[in-house]
Amino acid sequence: MARFFHDEDYYYDRGMRENPPAIRALYLVIIAILYAFTKVFWRWRVERPEELLPKGETGSIIISNHTSMGEVVATVCHIVRTGRRVRPIMKSEFNKNPVVRWFFARVGGIPVDRGTADMKSLRRAQHALKRGEDVLIYPEGTRIRSDDQPVEVHGGFALIAQMAKARVVPIAVCGFRDITPEGSHIMRPLKTWIRCGEGLSLTDAPADVGRRERLQWLEDESIRRMYAVRDELRAEHPGRR
């Protein structure tokens, strides 16, 4: 019972399958409830899900555009339902709230200080990938609530990919922004979409790209594919964001 209230570092530094039985059971119950609720309420489905399947013993870095907390829940539920475990990278600001800090640590969250060389968080993500866990990253850093909102894409995931010898899988979402209209806190039942792009790794870099430039190529190409998939979804579902 003591470990149920253990220090957060205990959970950041260990595999999710190594958590105390009570935490693992609670996690699966929460996932089952959220999966059922979101499937009925938002009718999401993952297109091209085979891209998220493991291609080896190392987990994948999954990057996505970010419009709502709803897509985080749906993406995590899908991955866990396939039998895998996923560690979302979260802003360290969330840790200011002790309840949120307690919860996120136990559902796999890894906090990172944005704008800094947070090597502790990078190492935690590397070790998670080496254990076969996936790492979920939102490079936009915050929810993009309108097309006019300035977007600052945060890098760093290519370095994690290099450290863990992991591949990057770009995915995109559409429709989740519409769940909660601007100025409202009431969620609406709407259909939403998640689509996976083609995964890639440092070994896919063109032969003429220098060794030092490979990390930048991986980040740029991953982001390009993420937005290309997002634009595909928007074109197929006009008016939805």
Side-chain angles (χ1 to χ4, degrees):
M1 190 66 172
R3 286 190 173 180
F4 198 85
F5 299 99
H6 207 285
D7 180 88
E8 277 71 33
D9 285 339
Y10 175 89
Y11 297 96
Y12 298 148
D13 294 325
R14 286 167 173 75
M16 296 182 69
R17 297 183 190 279
E18 300 171 20
N19 286 342
I23 295 296
R24 297 201 307 269
L26 176 64
Y27 179 74
L28 293 177
V29 168
I30 291 172
I31 290 294
I33 293 171
L34 291 176
Y35 179 85
F37 171 79
T38 59
K39 270 291 192 180
V40 171
F41 215 62
W42 301 328
R43 307 195 302 280
W44 57 269
R45 69 185 182 94
V46 177
E47 301 173 13
R48 304 172 190 163
E50 64 278 1
E51 287 293 336
L52 291 174
L53 297 176
K55 299 295 190 290
E57 295 182 0
T58 302
S60 300
I61 297 172
I62 302 164
I63 67 167
S64 176
N65 63 313
H66 195 17
T67 63
S68 162
M69 289 304 294
E71 68 233 9
V72 182
V73 174
T75 302
V76 169
C77 284
H78 170 79
I79 295 170
V80 175
R81 289 274 297 182
T82 67
R84 300 181 62 75
R85 294 294 178 268
V86 58
R87 313 289 298 247
I89 298 295
M90 64 183 192
K91 298 182 291 186
S92 59
E93 289 92 325
F94 284 124
N95 275 352
K96 294 178 181 178
N97 184 309
V99 175
V100 174
R101 182 174 66 244
W102 183 94
F103 179 76
F104 277 4
R106 287 152 182 80
V107 297
I110 298 176
V112 62
D113 288 320
R114 293 188 300 173
T116 67
D118 190 348
M119 287 306 298
K120 178 180 275 189
S121 296
L122 296 182
R123 290 293 182 191
R124 283 168 168 163
Q126 174 197 13
H127 296 156
L129 290 162
K130 287 289 191 180
R131 288 191 296 265
E133 298 171 339
D134 296 322
V135 172
L136 178 60
I137 298 177
Y138 292 91
E140 294 169 330
T142 189
R143 288 171 290 176
I144 306 303
R145 301 297 294 159
S146 75
D147 290 344
D148 298 328
Q149 181 177 338
V151 178
E152 179 184 359
V153 175
H154 299 269
F157 61 85
L159 178 58
I160 301 173
Q162 181 186 55
M163 292 165 62
K165 295 181 173 57
R167 69 187 190 119
V168 179
V169 180
I171 71 173
V173 300
C174 180
F176 285 92
R177 183 193 294 174
D178 305 323
I179 289 172
T180 308
E182 189 173 356
S184 173
H185 297 288
I186 300 175
M187 295 184 298
R188 299 185 297 174
L190 292 171
K191 188 172 183 179
T192 55
W193 301 268
I194 303 172
R195 179 175 295 173
C196 301
E198 184 179 1
L200 66 163
S201 64
L202 285 168
T203 58
D204 296 316
D208 60 348
V209 175
R211 187 174 182 179
R212 294 184 177 179
E213 289 76 34
R214 285 176 178 265
L215 287 181
Q216 191 61 53
W217 176 87
L218 181 59
E219 290 202 346
D220 292 345
E221 180 62 15
S222 299
I223 294 295
R224 187 195 69 78
R225 294 187 187 188
M226 178 185 81
Y227 283 132
V229 174
R230 180 203 65 180
D231 292 343
E232 285 178 4
L233 287 170
R234 287 185 173 186
E236 293 170 15
H237 309 287
R240 299 299 306 277
R241 292 293 185 269

